[in-house]
Amino acid sequence: MMKIRLLLLFTLFNTVNIMAQNSLSGKVQDKDGNPLAGATVKSKTEATKTNETGGFSVKATAGETLYITYVGMTLATIEAAEGMVVSMVSNAKSETEVIVTGYTSQSKRRSVGSTTTIKAEEIKGVPIGSFDQALQGKAPGVLVQAQSGQPGAAARINIRGKSSIIGSNDPLFIVDGIQISANDFASLNPNDFENFNILKDASSTAIYGSRGSNGVVVITTKRGKIGKPTLTYDFQIGQSTLPSNKLKVMDANQKLDYEIANGNPYGWTATEEADLRKINTNWNDVFFRKGKTQSHQLSLSGGNSGTRYFISGGIFDQTGTVQKSDLKRYTGRVNLETTFGDFKVGVNTFVGSSKINNTLEGNAFIGSPLNAVLWLNPYEKPFTDDGKYSSIVSGQPHPLQELLETDNQSNQLKGIATINAEYKAPFLKGLTFRTNWGGDYTQDEAFIYLDRQTYQGSIATGARGSLNRGLGKLFRYTGTNSIGYNTSKGDHDFGVTIFNEILQETRTAFSFTGFGIVTPFRNESGITPGTSTNSFIPTVAGSRNVRGLVSYFADFNYAYKNKYFVTTNIRRDGSSRFGENKRWANFGSVGAAWLLSEENFISNFSENWLDLFKLKVSYGAVGNQAIGGSFPAISQLSPARYAGQGGLLSTTLSNPDLQWEKKTTTNFGVEFGLFKNRIKGSFEYYNAITSALFLDKSISGTSGFSSFTTNVGRMRNRGIEAGLDIDVIRSKDFVWSINGQITNNKNSLLELVDGKTEDISGDFIRKVGEPLNTYFLVKTAGVDPATGDQLYLTKDGKTTTNVYSPDDRVTLGTSDAPIFGGFGTDFKFKAIELNIFFSYISGNEVFNNDRQNLENPAYLFDNLSTDLTTEWRTPGQVTNIPRPDNAFFGSTSRFIEDGSFIRLRNVNLSYTMPTSLLANAKIKSLKFFMIGQNLFTSTKYLGWDPELNSGSSVGARYPALRTITAGISIGL
C-alpha cells in the first residue's frame, strides 16, 4: 500500500512539474525596438532561436533565468514570464561574435581553432586600389607585403610562414562561399565587405582539405538589416606623393668630378664641362607627379521580417605617382535574402570592371623607365630646345620616351554570383538542408603597344614597333550541399553537418603580337599585314585547361555546460591535378577548448576581474595541390614546329604517384578578458610540418628531361602569436584604447631530395636546418686602407683575403621576416575619433641590387651612388668603397641590408555630427573624415621601400604611395 502511495505521489509531483514548465513566449529586440531574428534563447532544458519578428517560444518555468545571445550583442538574462520582452545592447567586442568559416558559423566563445576577425570598418575608406594591403599588421600570424606602389597592385599574403618550395604559398580567398584570386582584388570594392575571417590552424582550415594548406581568408559581404531603407553616399578625394629615397645619386658636379677623376671617359673639354655643370636635372621631377585619388559609393539597404536587401555601386579612380600609371574601377552589388515559411533564400551578385595603366617594374632592364630615374646622368636634359626627346650621351634608351610612347594596359571584367537556399525541417527541430551554388567569371585583357621609335619596340627587337593583345577567361563554379542537425539536451549541445562539394574551373587564353607599326594608329589598325615572305608575320599563342575537385566532408561540434567544447572534421578530396594512383586524399582535424572562467574554482575568486579565460588545443592535416599552372602528375603535350611542319612536343614527364603536399599543425592557445573586457588578449603557439614537398628531382638526360616533379622533403614552421587590446580609459564621453599584435615565426628545412643536406640556387641556399630563403654569399671585411682592395672573409670566418672565391660563401640570414605585426591607438571624444596604426617587420635581410648597380665603377658612363665620392684614392685612406680598378663582385654581403622597418600605415580622423542636429534635415548620419596612408617609414634600408617579398630589390621599383584623402559619408 505504501508503494502505491509513493507512486501516486511521484506521479503527482511530475505532473505538477510538467504543468509548471510551460512553453513561454516572448520577443527579442535591439535598443531601438527592431526585432532580432536568429537570437538564441536558452533555458535549463531547451535552446531555441527567435523568428524573423524576434519572437520565440521556450520551455521554461516561470521565474527561471533565461540566457539570450546574439551576434554583436552583450549577453542578456531575464526571468522567464509570458509575454517577456528582451532588449539587447550592442557590443562590438562581445564574446558572442560569430566566426564565419565559409561553410559554417560558430560563436567565438565556442571556437577551438586559431582565427582572427577583422571588421571591414577597420579598413573602410583606405585609399588603396587592392584592399589586401590594408590588412597589414592587423592579424597575428598574417604577413602582408606590398609588392609595388602601382595602383591596383596586389600584395603578397603569407599565413604562418611559407610552407612550400615550388608550390603556391598563397592563402585561399573565399567571398560568400566562392573562391577568388588575389589578382582580382583591384576589381573588388572593399566597401561592400562586412568582415574578414582569417583561418590559420588545422582545426579551422582542415574543412577546406586540399585547398587549406596556406590558410584561408573568408570574406563576408554586407547584408541588409531589418528596418527602414537607408541610403548612404560616401565620397573621398585626395592625393599621393613620392616618399623619400635613401639611396642617393650624384648631382651634376659630383658626377663630372668622378668622371674626370676616372679618366674622363667622354672626353669632355673644359668648355663642355663648364656648360654641363650648369645643368642639374632632377629626374624625379621628370618621371614622378602628384597622384590623385577619388572615390564614390552609393548604397541602399533595409528590409523587413521577410526580405532584406543591400545594393551598392562604386567608382574608384586613382592616378599613380609615376606618369601614365592609374587605376579606374567601377563596381556594383546586389545582395538579397528572403524568408518564407521554413525556407530562406539568398542571392548575392557582383560585377566589377577595372582598367590599369602601368609600367615595367621589378627588373634591371635598361628599357625600364623606373631604372633610369637612378641611372640617368644629372647633366642631361629630357628634351632639346625644340621640344624633341634628347639623345642620351651614354647610348641608353631615353626613359621618358620609353614611358610616354608605350602603352601597357590590363583590363578586367569580373562577375560573381551565388544563390543559396536553406530549409529548416518542421518534422525534426534542428534539422537543416542547405545548398549554395555560385560562379566566378573573370575576363582579363592585356594590351601592350611599343612605338617603333622606342628601344623596346624597335632597337631591342628589330620589329619596327609591335602591338600585343591577350585575352584570358576563367569560369569557376562551386556547388556545396549540406545536411546539418543541431540539438540541445540539458547541458549537452550537439551539431553535425555533412557536405558534398563540386568545384570546376575552365581557363582559356589567346594572344597575338603584330609587328611593323608604321601608321599613327596605336591599335590593331597600325599593324603591317604579314605574309610568309616578309618579317612581319604575327606571333600567336593560346591555351585551355580544365580542373576539377570533388569533396565529401563532415563537421562535428559538441559542447558541455557551455564551457567544454570539441570540434572535429574530416574531408576526402579527389583532384584532377593528380594521376590515377594518388587522385584521392583524406584530411581532418580535432580540437578542444575549455572555458576555465566558467568554473566555480576560478569564478569564486575572480568574479570581479576575470571575464574570460579559455584554453584551446587542436591538431590536424591539410593539403596543397597548387603547383602553379602545371599538371606534373600527367604527361603534357604542347604544339611545336619543326622544319616548317606543325606537331606536338612533350613538355612534362608525368609522375602518376605525385600527390598533395601535406601539412600537419599542432596549435595551443589562450584567450583572456579582464576587468569587464577592458583588457583582452590571446597567445598561441603552433608547430606545422609540411611533408611530401613538391620538388624537382634530377634524372638521367637520356629521357629527354633533366628532372621531374615528385614528393620529397619536409619543412617546418613554428612560432608564437600574441595580441592585446586595452581600453585605457572608458568613460561616457572619452575612450582611449591601445592594441598590438606580434608574430615570431621560425622556418627551417628538415629534409631535401635524395638525402641532400643543401641545394644552392643563385644567391640563395636550401640547407637542412636553415630557413627556406637563406642568403649564401661571400662575406666582405671592408677595404684595405693600404691598397684600396676589397677584403673578404674566408669560409672559416676568421681569415681575411683580397681574393674573391665562391668557395668562401656562407649563410647570411633570410629574406623572410621572422618577426612582424602591428600596433595602434584609438581615441574617441564624443563625436570625434582618431585612429593611428603602425605596422612593422623585423629580422629579415634584403639584397640591394639597386646599390650594386650604382656602386659598380664599371658603370661610370651612367649616374652612380654618392657613396662613390668616398672611393679609395690614396694609401691610408679609410673608406668602405674600394679603388675603382679593383675587381668588382656583386654577390657579397656588401649589398645585404637590414630589411626591418616600422611604418605609420594609417591615420584616420573623423567627426560624426550629432543626430539631434540632423533630425530637421531628415538626415540619419553625417560623418567627415581624413585618412593618411604610408605617411612615414623608419628603416635602415637604402632605397625607396624596404617592403620586399622576394628579398631582392632587383630594380625598377615603383615606390609606395604616400596618400592623404578627405571624405564625407552621409546616410538618409
Side-chain angles (χ1 to χ4, degrees), residues 472-698:
K473 296 181 180 181
L474 163 69
F475 179 69
R476 181 192 294 117
Y477 74 82
T478 306
T480 308
N481 301 302
S482 65
I483 302 175
Y485 179 68
N486 292 275
T487 186
S488 296
K489 300 292 184 183
D491 292 329
H492 305 274
D493 295 333
F494 302 90
V496 60
T497 308
I498 301 173
F499 299 85
N500 167 242
E501 185 171 73
I502 301 172
L503 185 149
Q504 181 172 302
E505 67 177 38
T506 301
R507 295 176 182 266
T508 60
F510 175 80
S511 67
F512 75 87
T513 303
F515 305 100
I517 311 295
V518 296
T519 72
F521 304 116
R522 298 174 73 138
N523 54 43
E524 287 83 350
S525 299
I527 298 174
T528 299
T531 70
S532 59
T533 60
N534 62 41
S535 59
F536 297 111
I537 302 174
T539 61
V540 296
S543 65
R544 174 184 173 85
N545 62 64
V546 180
R547 302 171 185 166
L549 182 72
V550 177
S551 306
Y552 305 92
F553 50 107
D555 186 64
F556 173 77
N557 296 280
Y558 170 71
Y560 177 63
K561 289 189 175 182
N562 205 26
K563 57 185 177 182
Y564 309 105
F565 311 102
V566 176
T567 298
T568 64
N569 57 62
I570 186 170
R571 177 164 175 147
R572 182 166 175 79
D573 282 342
S575 173
S576 65
R577 285 178 177 262
F578 301 103
E580 295 182 1
N581 296 353
K582 300 291 183 179
R583 183 153 291 173
W584 292 88
N586 301 319
F587 307 96
S589 73
V590 59
W594 180 16
L595 207 58
L596 273 81
S597 51
E598 296 296 311
E599 297 287 359
N600 291 333
F601 67 87
I602 295 290
S603 61
N604 285 342
F605 72 87
S606 62
E607 182 178 358
N608 296 325
W609 57 272
L610 182 63
D611 305 295
L612 172 71
F613 187 68
K614 184 172 76 171
L615 298 178
K616 58 185 181 181
V617 60
S618 66
Y619 175 81
V622 287
N624 184 12
Q625 61 168 329
I627 322 174
S630 62
F631 294 77
I634 307 167
S635 293
Q636 296 179 67
L637 302 173
S638 66
R641 67 178 183 273
Y642 179 76
Q645 300 296 317
L648 292 175
L649 176 68
S650 179
T651 57
T652 302
L653 186 63
S654 67
N655 179 5
D657 291 320
L658 188 70
Q659 58 183 316
W660 283 263
E661 290 183 333
K662 186 177 181 180
K663 183 166 77 172
T664 57
T665 303
T666 303
N667 193 88
F668 299 93
V670 178
E671 297 176 15
F672 60 88
L674 307 173
F675 307 110
K676 298 188 182 302
N677 283 327
R678 292 185 64 167
I679 301 176
K680 296 180 67 175
S682 64
F683 177 87
E684 302 205 25
Y685 168 80
Y686 60 88
N687 183 54
I689 296 179
T690 306
S691 57
L693 286 168
F694 296 138
L695 279 174
D696 292 330
K697 183 176 182 179
S698 299

